[in-house]
Amino acid sequence: MAKQTLLLYDPEGVPWAGKLRQVCTIQGFRFRAVDRSDLDRTVGALAEGLKRAGEPEKCADVPETVIVFCGVGSAQLDRLLQALRKMGVPRNCLKAVLTAQNAKWPFHVLYEELVKERTALS
């Protein structure tokens, strides 16, 4: 599994991204921005910071901001979520914790699963 890392995919240019980067630095987390060209890569590869092998594949677009917590314990996750609330991150911002299962998914598939979960809960 990845070391303590926070992945941020931010197609909207959210105003709190810089603050999030600072919180990660203060709490000793790596911060990795996910680009549109990375949406076909597995969440685990992005968390590990692995270099791309080959050209990006065409995949579904991800129109929303997504935060992925990698290698984070429950106490750390609680602190990060509290910091997100203080920064004004909307509750409906999609968030996930890296697991052995979703680490194998392309990032766009993780997004699709998060949207399904949100829809099922509403």
Side-chain angles (χ1 to χ4, degrees), residues 3 5 7 12 14 17 28 33 37-38 46 57-58 60 71 75 90-91 108 110 118 122:
K3 292 185 180 175
T5 304
L7 301 176
E12 304 164 331
V14 294
S37 63
D38 293 325
L46 293 169
E57 295 178 21
K58 291 268 187 195
R91 283 201 179 279
H108 71 94
L110 174 66
R118 179 174 60 194
S122 15

Side-chain angles (χ1 to χ4, degrees), residues 34-63:
V34 177
D35 294 324
R36 283 189 198 279
S37 63
D38 293 325
L39 297 179
D40 65 322
R41 299 188 62 209
T42 66
V43 180
L46 293 169
E48 292 291 340
L50 300 176
K51 302 264 188 230
R52 172 181 290 284
E55 293 295 314
E57 295 178 21
K58 291 268 187 195
C59 62
D61 189 34
V62 174

